Amino acid sequence: GFYPLGSCTMKHNPKINDELASLPGLALAHPLASDDLSQGALRVIWELQRLLAAITGFHTTTCQPSAGAQGEMTGLMLIRAWHRSRGDDQRDEVIVPDSSHGTNPATASMAGFRTVTIPSADDGGVDVDTLRAALGPRTAAVMLTNPSTLGLFERRVGELLEATHAAGALAYMDGANLNAIMGRFRPGEAGFDVMHFNTHKTFSTPHGGGGPGAGPVGVRAVLEPFLPAPRVI
């Protein structure tokens, strides 16, 4: 029943979901079909965008990224575009705690940022004092994973977000471990600015062994103008 992919927080995918994903109207839809011939698929995407926004407390979402890593890249490109729109071109650093999802430093580098790694505190959480010391006029974003790759919930999220925003930076949440906070914590309401979803981890999307991937991104209202186009609205 499990797909052969070892690096992710995989979970069992009910066979009924495989059957739904293989329905001819979805599986055989042509990517160049016109809008009027794609209303069913567009409705699925539109409804999923609304559901993800409601679940996480973000203003809106996009389902365009095709994988979690691509969702990360999209999120950082949104952050970069937002800073540049404000004439804030000197922000070229992204702070990544050592307990974050392993793809974060690579994504930040590919997006053109310099990665600044900060160590964890004695309790395994992000060291708030160390974060404050690392923040500055060159900080574009702070990338957090909650719960972290150590399997610990960040108990000082409020302080971390307050410090990040006070420095003029944006807060990115990695959605790799969203399973653990579903229904208990809404990142958008908490103050995160952008987050990617791994729908194959949290929502049982068929994935692995060469199967389809998806990496939707949720954003606060200030980032909506920079979402990739075309959009399903």
Side-chain angles (χ1 to χ4, degrees):
F2 285 92
Y3 286 91
L5 191 66
S7 63
C8 292
T9 315
M10 300 304 292
K11 69 191 221 22
H12 181 69
N13 287 307
K15 294 300 181 184
I16 184 63
N17 293 4
D18 283 343
E19 293 179 18
L20 291 172
S22 63
L23 288 172
L26 293 174
L28 301 181
H30 197 284
L32 298 182
S34 60
D35 289 352
D36 60 333
L37 295 177
S38 305
Q39 287 300 301
L42 291 172
R43 177 173 177 173
V44 169
I45 295 170
W46 181 73
E47 289 186 352
L48 178 58
Q49 289 177 170
R50 297 180 67 202
L51 290 169
L52 292 176
I55 288 168
T56 56
F58 282 102
H59 174 69
T60 190
T61 62
T62 174
C63 290
Q64 192 170 123
S66 299
Q70 196 175 78
E72 276 187 44
M73 183 73 172
T74 300
L76 286 181
M77 291 173 70
L78 292 170
I79 290 171
R80 184 178 62 192
W82 182 78
H83 284 304
R84 287 181 175 176
S85 74
R86 296 156 52 87
D88 212 350
D89 298 328
Q90 80 274 19
R91 293 187 181 270
D92 58 358
E93 296 179 349
V94 171
I95 297 176
V96 182
D98 60 6
S99 60
S100 291
H101 193 193
T103 55
N104 290 176
T107 303
S109 298
M110 288 186 66
F113 294 105
R114 186 174 74 88
T115 301
V116 178
T117 304
I118 59 174
S120 301
D122 292 340
D123 63 359
V126 175
D127 191 313
V128 178
D129 292 333
T130 303
L131 173 65
R132 288 197 178 101
L135 287 165
R138 298 185 63 180
T139 307
V142 176
M143 301 184 78
L144 295 172
T145 304
N146 184 38
S148 69
T149 54
L150 301 177
L152 301 173
F153 293 93
E154 291 292 349
R155 299 183 179 276
R156 297 182 291 274
V157 168
E159 295 178 65
L160 297 170
L161 293 175
E162 183 179 355
T164 299
H165 291 142
L170 297 184
Y172 182 99
M173 181 169 151
D174 189 299
N177 299 331
L178 182 63
N179 290 21
I181 59 172
M182 278 275 290
R184 296 179 177 271
F185 175 76
R186 286 158 50 106
E189 285 188 354
F192 283 94
D193 300 288
V194 57
M195 183 188 85
H196 83 271
F197 304 82
N198 293 98
T199 50
H200 59 285
K201 297 177 183 179
T202 305
F203 300 105
S204 183
T205 301
H207 179 73
V217 173
V219 297
R220 294 179 65 195
V222 294
L223 293 178
E224 182 179 15
F226 307 101
L227 288 173
R231 295 181 59 202
V232 182
I233 58 175

